[in-house]
Amino acid sequence: MEEETTLQSMTEGVDMMEIAEEVVGEDVGLDEEDEEEMTNELLYEEEVIQEEDVVDRGGEGDCDDKENAESDVADTEFLEDENGVMMEITRRRISQDREGNCYCAKDRNLNIAELLCASCNRWFHESCIGYQLGKLVPFMTNYVFMCKNCSPTGLESFRRSQAQFSQMCFTVLANLTQYAVKDGSNRRLFSKDKDIIPFLEMHWDALTTTTRRVTSSWHSTVLKTLTKDVGPLYIIDEVLDDPLGPYFGLASSDLTTIKPNYDAMIKTGHLKVNDPSSAGAGAALRGRGSKRRNVMEGAIVSQGTIAKKTRGDVFSSKAFHGYPPDHPYNKDNFRYLLAEPDPNAPFRQEFDESSDGAGKPIPGFLYRVLVPCSVLLALHDRAPQLKISDDRLSVTGDKGYSMVRATHGVNRGAWYFEATITDLPEGGATRLGFGQAQANLQGPLGYDKFGYSWRSRYGTAFHVAKGKSFSKGGYGLGDVIGLLIVLPEKNNKNALIPDSFKDKPLVRFKSHLYYEEKDGAEASKKDDAVLPIHQSSMIIGFKNGVCQGAAFQNISEGTYYPTISLYRNTVVRVNFGPEPWMKPDTEIDYKMISEKAEQAIVEQTVADLVFLTEFDGKLTLDNYIHTQS
Ligand SMILES: [Zn+2]
Ligand SMILES: [Zn+2]
């Protein structure tokens, strides 16, 4: 017994040295380049679709004319050094889906930019799309867009193509026509010099990915482009002696049919259509607002085959959880939570239609934190050096101890999850258990007061860096480790609903917006205060279904996340449910942690509605509240 204690403290010493090195030697967060991108305007890849007739004319166009005009300057000017772009989409059978447009199911709004999904053929409002699109104008046609419901990753995708003058002119006239509808003048004809050219100048960046022209020689190209398609696309009014003439307008007054010509892109091979039967996986896993929500089926495997199967990549699948693969990780004591537009927020329409909003920070209340539909290892709450598998249920360690939390935490009730080591290199180890959000990610779980862990080596249980003998012999490769946390329902001072993030600032990273929140690790390091205790709370350990007893009793108050900490390149796979790999022998009426997902969606929705109600009448687009110091 005495000998064992000595061994433990020796290995503990080694661990700590490794950690110290890690903290000093590694940049913990985003690299500088990434950081820059947080603040910079999004830059678009210059993608070119070698498609001449990209404006869908709704069947009214005259294709023969187009073919004959191939050598025209206006249409060939941008064709130099083009590369054909191949996009892949999965086309849904529209008839099987619900009617209507957008995630919000509201009508089209021609006063704002809307994008057509190449797959389901529905229109989506710019402000309902979470993907950061950059500058758009209504009636643009030079893009390929796929909505969250259709995308196999659960993430929207958007790519611009380089618009040609013919497309740009068409978009400009559509906008001028709609302005005239809005201001009641109902003009149909617009001056090339007074209306069309100024609009092109003002919205150039939104209309095309091509850099602005230095000289104004393109003005005559515009005239040529418009004149060429008088008849099929445009009407013209040539008033003699009018210095602002000639005047142009759209031949058709129906603006709702203006859209990218996806069919033509498919025909020319620039857009590839996949078999619709393979589309389902992504649509099943969405957060709030999804009409096709589903709970992920956990992989149920019998003990003993887990390690082998995992190494053979049986589990590997596409990332279909709706999170971007380049999700930012914790940096400088901040964590980042993926945000999505909130259809319930006030001033949505005003924000959508205000043109001066570009470049200004987006008020946090217009968005909401994305709550995933399944419990996974968190991308937003992990030590950056850890590698998370595509399905986000396996994690690989790196050098010294560091950890990852699950996406969901619990603060009342009895909850269970399992984990198993699928690869254990020489000297590797794990500490599995439950940790609070403030537990330092760059260390082993149980190093500070915010975590409770059970170590593979010797089966020691750790809290506040103190080890105690718990489950003799420890655990190793292939053992199914079950952890059951029991928190009181009664006299529990923890909040019933989580925080709303709507008062937090939104930051842009790559193509998405995130709420920025202090992770509390720094403040809690200096804080020596002893946390209040949850009476009659406990954490019970199970090894291959067999109860090892309570590792901890009367643990601190707080919200606890399943947490995995790893030493060296150890690989751990978790099972959050819906079924345990090995049924634990216990009388306690527990829930698998996966059940927390549905609950969290309800709780977060309530929290966001409470926020909007509480600040009803106080939220404005110019002067929104911003409480983060
Ligand atoms: Zn919408
Ligand atoms: Zn779609």
Side-chain angles (χ1 to χ4, degrees), residues 90-273:
T90 305
R91 195 153 257 211
R92 284 188 175 280
R93 274 161 292 192
I94 297 156
S95 57
Q96 293 178 355
D97 287 324
R98 68 182 168 89
E99 294 291 307
N101 287 308
C102 201
Y103 312 117
C104 69
K106 291 192 183 117
D107 290 340
R108 291 197 59 188
N109 181 352
L110 298 183
N111 295 319
I112 63 169
E114 301 170 297
L115 299 179
L116 182 71
C117 174
S119 175
C120 65
N121 220 32
R122 291 201 188 92
W123 287 96
F124 292 84
H125 307 113
E126 176 183 7
S127 52
C128 292
I129 296 167
Y131 189 99
Q132 291 302 289
L133 301 156
K135 284 183 195 163
L136 302 183
V137 279
F139 310 112
M140 58 188 282
T141 57
N142 56 319
Y143 65 87
V144 176
F145 171 74
M146 187 146 58
C147 78
K148 278 193 271 195
N149 297 334
C150 295
S151 154
T153 62
L155 283 169
E156 289 139 349
S157 68
F158 175 70
R159 275 219 246 175
R160 282 170 195 260
S161 51
Q162 204 168 24
Q164 296 158 21
F165 268 117
S166 56
Q167 274 179 289
M168 290 160 72
C169 289
F170 197 84
T171 301
V172 170
L173 279 173
N175 275 282
L176 293 171
T177 306
Q178 179 61 23
Y179 281 172
V181 170
K182 210 179 160 189
D183 70 18
S185 69
N186 287 315
R187 279 166 68 202
R188 291 283 309 277
L189 288 159
F190 303 93
S191 155
K192 184 200 78 156
D193 292 323
K194 199 171 139 273
D195 302 312
I196 297 169
I197 299 281
F199 191 99
L200 271 160
E201 295 266 22
M202 185 180 291
H203 299 281
W204 184 278
D205 298 335
L207 286 163
T208 181
T209 54
T210 315
T211 48
R212 275 173 196 274
R213 295 302 157 95
V214 183
T215 64
S216 54
S217 62
W218 59 273
H219 293 191
S220 63
T221 312
V222 168
L223 184 62
K224 238 190 226 170
T225 305
L226 290 165
T227 311
K228 177 168 63 66
D229 282 323
V230 166
L233 292 182
Y234 308 119
I235 49 172
I236 187 168
D237 186 5
E238 284 175 284
V239 184
L240 289 175
D241 298 332
D242 186 340
L244 296 174
Y247 292 81
F248 292 93
L250 292 179
S252 163
S253 59
D254 184 4
L255 303 179
T256 61
T257 58
I258 300 170
K259 60 188 181 189
N261 196 343
Y262 288 137
D263 287 335
M265 293 185 214
I266 291 163
K267 227 181 273 170
T268 54
H270 293 101
L271 201 54
K272 193 183 153 204
V273 181

Side-chain angles (χ1 to χ4, degrees), residues 545-597:
V546 180
C547 183
Q548 308 293 299
F552 303 97
Q553 283 180 307
N554 298 330
I555 64 172
S556 310
E557 282 182 5
T559 298
Y560 286 91
Y561 297 77
T563 305
I564 309 299
S565 63
L566 310 107
Y567 188 62
R568 301 207 169 146
N569 304 108
T570 308
V571 183
V572 164
R573 183 159 187 86
V574 291
N575 175 28
F576 293 141
E579 296 298 328
W581 285 327
M582 301 203 103
K583 208 172 152 20
D585 64 340
T586 178
E587 299 292 304
I588 295 169
D589 185 20
Y590 67 87
K591 288 192 179 98
M592 287 300 286
I593 193 82
S594 62
E595 286 188 45
K596 182 65 195 176

Side-chain angles (χ1 to χ4, degrees), residues 490-603:
K490 283 180 193 161
N491 305 322
N492 186 327
K493 290 189 275 299
N494 285 317
L496 278 164
I497 58 165
D499 291 337
S500 172
F501 290 85
K502 287 173 169 291
D503 57 345
K504 303 272 192 300
L506 286 166
V507 296
R508 178 183 306 187
F509 181 68
K510 304 273 167 85
S511 296
H512 296 273
L513 288 178
Y514 299 85
Y515 285 112
E516 187 181 59
E517 183 195 43
K518 286 199 168 133
D519 71 1
E522 194 56 36
S524 61
K525 244 188 255 172
K526 295 169 195 145
D527 179 13
D528 298 330
V530 177
L531 298 170
I533 296 296
H534 266 318
Q535 292 299 335
S536 70
S537 60
M538 64 182 103
I539 295 173
I540 304 167
F542 297 84
K543 182 175 164 185
N544 300 319
V546 180
C547 183
Q548 308 293 299
F552 303 97
Q553 283 180 307
N554 298 330
I555 64 172
S556 310
E557 282 182 5
T559 298
Y560 286 91
Y561 297 77
T563 305
I564 309 299
S565 63
L566 310 107
Y567 188 62
R568 301 207 169 146
N569 304 108
T570 308
V571 183
V572 164
R573 183 159 187 86
V574 291
N575 175 28
F576 293 141
E579 296 298 328
W581 285 327
M582 301 203 103
K583 208 172 152 20
D585 64 340
T586 178
E587 299 292 304
I588 295 169
D589 185 20
Y590 67 87
K591 288 192 179 98
M592 287 300 286
I593 193 82
S594 62
E595 286 188 45
K596 182 65 195 176
E598 285 285 310
Q599 217 185 76
I601 288 171
V602 174
E603 289 169 356

